[in-house]
Amino acid sequence: MLQRSDNFETDATDVDERERMHNVRPSDWRNPQPAQRYDLVVVGAGTAGLVAARTAAALDAKVALIERALLGGTCLNIGCVPSKALIRTSRLYAEMRDARQYGASFPNDIRVDFPALMQRVRGIRARISRADSAHALVAAGVDVFFGEAHFIDDDALTVDGATLRFKKAMIATGARPDMPAIPGLAAAGYLTNENAFDITQLPRRLLVIGGGPLGCEMAQAFCRFGVKTTIVQHWPLFLPREERDAAQLLSDAFARDGIEIRLDTNVEQVRVDGAEKIVDIVRDDYRNTITVDAILTGTGRVPNVDGLNLEAAGVAYDRDRGVHVDDFLRTGNPRIYAAGDVCLEHKFNDTAEASARIVVQNALFRHRRRLSALTIPWCTYTDPEIAHVGLYVRQARERRISVKTFTIPMHDVDRAIADDEEMGFVKIHVKERTDQILGSTIVARHAGEMISEITLAMVAGIGLRRLAGVIHPYPTQADAIRKAADACDRTFLSAKS
Ligand SMILES: Cc1cc2nc3c(=O)[nH]c(=O)nc-3n(C[C@H](O)[C@H](O)[C@H](O)COP(=O)(O)OP(=O)(O)OC[C@H]3O[C@@H](n4cnc5c(N)ncnc54)[C@H](O)[C@@H]3O)c2cc1C
């Protein structure tokens, strides 16, 4: 049974959903009496807002946190947490499907228990929501306000009829799914990350529009649940930002899973015929029609800047880039900063968190920490995962830096062979004639875990040769990093001889 509580649709009979709502939007919540002036007012209680509010309160600042929907924002409620929980179960189904490869056998008719797997997703979300709960924030010294924030001046805003004055403010209102301008799509109805985790039945046939991280992760997960999945991507390869060989491997993995791949293809229009959605797609001049039961879009995210009345606060913004900030995350108003998806090019949870920490230090302590000083890794959680940190080769070339690359294919790594997870590689770029690490791309089952070693080396200024002397437990897939480091070391030794 779905009930609307404070305008948020939730299953009131589900114990996990009740717990999550109790944590992230308590139904009996009363906003506090505002303080005379806050040291820091934070607008938006997603990852960036929560981190800033907690950190500032721990440093004895008087802090208010405003949220119009659910504490935890995108990551907890409709992003990283539910998607990764779903992906984990999809991997299990893929492993059961491939059981013979591992010398095991399963009945041929493995049934996907969709209600049970969604129950697991809800349970995980409820458990993680405890850390983001309104009551925990109050206990940490944060004044929590539910309602929509509107700036009324360069040092004041309103929420739920109350006026909050501030010495400093941080805008952390995040981003929402972009709606592609495809004739007929809105009328036909479609899924985004905002409603995909609430479906109660698997569609038989699914079209995913968009081959970025979200589209790729969801297409593979649904395909592995037995949904006949087609993915349409406007560009010639998935994940256009990643190196071509990494994106090509992902295409190969999708083909192996049985995903119908349509690259270089656009969706022209959507029509409805009874319960079916008829989708016209075009590649060059070749037109085709696909019939599906559901459409999921993953065509990008747009910053939430509407309704904040940023003009009154003297904060510049536009609808594509969001709030304009400098390298110190200051907006045009010296009292107001921004962090997270609302202002950053890299829309990741870790970046939202790191940018919020920079704001607290710069706003409250007059530090001058720069966004550009961060080393930001990221990962797309497909199978294999694709993780990256630092420069791509093309970026190094644009900066006229000569690059030498050391590549270890995963099929040369004993643990990957033992695990039957040989698809992928570790690639590390160094500045030519040095061992200074410029960047790395890892394609491997656990690339997201492995990239941290390279990130640490880059942040600490550790050259690749030194990693050759770091003993990695045998056998691990991360040993591929040591092998790349060995290869780098050998080039120096042979240059000397
Ligand atoms: C499906 C999906 C999977 C993802 N997976 C990953 C992943 O695996 N790893 C990763 O690093 N990143 C991932 N991301 C990205 C990550 O979720 C975001 O980068 C991160 O949540 C951004 O945090 P934020 O605080 O900037 O914004 P949000 O978390 O979006 O928070 C913004 C908050 O501001 C509130 N708000 C907006 N306007 C107002 C207003 N006027 N007044 C008051 N409140 C307001 C919103 O309700 C929201 O709660 C994923 C995203 C999606 C969609």
Side-chain angles (χ1 to χ4, degrees):
M1 188 204 346
L2 285 176
Q3 277 188 1
R4 291 193 82 85
S5 125
D6 285 314
N7 288 328
F8 297 99
E9 220 165 61
T10 176
D11 183 348
T13 63
D14 185 287
V15 65
D16 292 317
E17 282 297 87
R18 277 211 307 272
E19 178 179 358
R20 177 170 68 105
M21 284 302 153
H22 173 72
N23 289 332
V24 301
R25 183 87 191 196
S27 57
D28 56 352
W29 191 258
R30 297 278 167 271
N31 285 339
Q33 192 63 32
Q36 228 170 24
R37 188 182 285 273
Y38 286 97
D39 296 315
L40 183 68
V41 168
V42 178
V43 183
T47 302
L50 287 168
V51 166
R54 279 198 214 103
T55 310
L59 296 167
D60 281 340
K62 187 72 192 152
V63 183
L65 177 63
I66 305 170
E67 173 54 54
R68 71 176 175 191
L70 306 178
L71 300 175
T74 303
C75 181
L76 170 69
N77 298 291
I78 50 172
C80 332
V81 171
S83 64
K84 266 75 250 178
L86 203 77
I87 285 168
R88 179 64 190 91
T89 310
S90 78
R91 281 193 171 193
L92 179 66
Y93 278 110
E95 281 174 348
M96 288 195 278
R97 182 197 65 193
D98 296 338
R100 280 206 179 80
Q101 203 174 311
Y102 294 87
S105 62
F106 260 97
N108 281 335
D109 61 335
I110 297 165
R111 267 191 345 101
V112 174
D113 189 343
F114 192 62
L117 83 86
M118 290 311 279
Q119 187 65 57
R120 174 175 177 274
V121 171
R122 289 193 292 272
I124 288 164
R125 214 164 40 174
R127 183 165 161 202
I128 295 179
S129 74
R130 291 172 203 161
D132 294 347
S133 87
H135 297 287
L137 284 162
V138 171
V142 178
D143 281 2
V144 177
F145 294 82
F146 283 104
E148 183 123 12
H150 307 277
F151 286 92
I152 51 169
D153 208 338
D154 64 354
D155 68 345
L157 51 73
T158 60
V159 53
D160 192 29
T163 299
L164 274 58
R165 302 209 160 270
F166 55 80
K167 291 184 190 160
K168 296 285 164 52
M170 181 180 106
I171 302 166
T173 47
R176 63 183 186 283
D178 188 21
M179 149 119 194
I182 298 169
L185 179 64
Y190 60 99
L191 299 169
T192 67
N193 68 293
E194 292 188 338
N195 53 3
F197 302 111
D198 295 329
I199 61 172
T200 51
Q201 256 188 327
L202 278 175
R204 201 163 59 80
R205 297 158 301 181
L206 173 71
L207 171 69
V208 176
I209 304 177
L214 193 156
C216 287
E217 288 181 3
M218 289 295 104
Q220 194 178 40
F222 277 97
C223 175
R224 289 174 162 197
F225 294 142
V227 175
K228 186 174 173 345
T229 305
T230 305
I231 183 164
V232 171
Q233 159 78 325
H234 166 74
W235 304 104
L237 276 174
F238 297 113
L239 306 179
R241 188 172 23 196
E242 301 301 338
E243 283 164 2
R244 294 179 72 91
D245 44 2
Q248 184 56 53
L249 275 180
L250 189 58
S251 283
D252 297 347
F254 280 2
R256 187 193 57 189
D257 271 311
I259 298 175
E260 177 88 31
I261 298 169
R262 303 298 180 109
L263 293 168
D264 250 337
T265 301
N266 287 310
V267 176
E268 244 186 7
Q269 64 163 337
V270 181
R271 289 167 283 132
V272 177
D273 184 5
E276 294 184 327
K277 301 179 203 302
I278 321 282
V279 185
D280 295 331
I281 57 174
V282 57
R283 178 180 180 171
D284 298 328
D285 282 339
Y286 181 68
R287 289 187 150 61
N288 209 330
T289 298
I290 315 175
T291 303
V292 293
D293 308 296
I295 298 172
L296 188 149
T297 66
T299 50
R301 300 181 50 73
V302 287
N304 289 323
V305 286
D306 294 333
L308 285 163
N309 197 23
L310 293 172
E311 291 78 3
V315 171
Y317 68 96
D318 66 66
R319 285 179 206 291
D320 294 332
R321 277 170 54 210
V323 171
H324 297 180
V325 288
D326 65 13
D327 205 17
F328 303 102
L329 293 168
R330 287 178 308 207
T331 69
N333 176 339
R335 293 176 195 275
I336 303 180
Y337 292 69
D341 283 6
V342 74
C343 63
L344 300 183
E345 182 198 346
H346 296 300
K347 294 190 182 351
F348 303 117
N349 197 58
D350 41 47
T351 329
E353 184 167 339
S355 60
R357 291 189 198 286
I358 290 180
V359 167
V360 171
Q361 296 190 22
N362 290 353
L364 299 185
F365 298 101
R366 296 172 193 265
H367 286 288
R368 291 180 60 81
R369 287 198 54 205
R370 289 176 181 272
L371 180 70
S372 58
L374 295 177
T375 303
I376 303 169
W378 55 80
C379 183
T380 300
Y381 296 90
T382 43
D383 184 11
E385 296 177 349
I386 299 188
H388 180 84
V389 64
L391 295 181
Y392 293 103
V393 174
R394 64 172 180 279
Q395 291 174 319
R397 287 201 184 119
E398 279 161 19
R399 296 180 196 186
R400 298 182 186 287
I401 304 172
S402 303
V403 176
K404 184 153 181 63
T405 300
F406 296 93
T407 305
I408 302 297
M410 294 309 286
H411 61 68
D412 282 351
V413 180
D414 292 359
R415 181 57 187 270
I417 298 170
D419 287 343
D420 240 318
E421 294 171 0
E422 297 174 49
M423 190 179 232
F425 55 74
V426 166
K427 211 197 258 193
I428 305 176
H429 311 303
V430 297
K431 192 170 172 185
E432 195 148 38
R433 283 187 286 280
T434 77
D435 73 340
Q436 183 197 336
I437 303 173
L438 298 171
S440 170
T441 294
I442 301 181
V443 181
R445 190 112 206 254
H446 307 288
E449 306 286 343
M450 290 161 69
I451 201 77
S452 294
E453 181 176 348
I454 317 258
T455 310
L456 171 66
M458 290 178 72
V459 170
I462 297 171
L464 183 55
R465 288 181 75 192
R466 278 190 67 196
L467 295 187
V470 175
I471 299 173
H472 289 65
Y474 178 86
T476 52
Q477 296 197 13
D479 204 30
I481 296 171
R482 187 194 53 78
K483 282 171 174 270
D486 259 346
C488 173
D489 198 33
R490 278 197 300 275
T491 62
F492 281 87
L493 297 176
S494 54
K496 272 190 186 165
S497 59

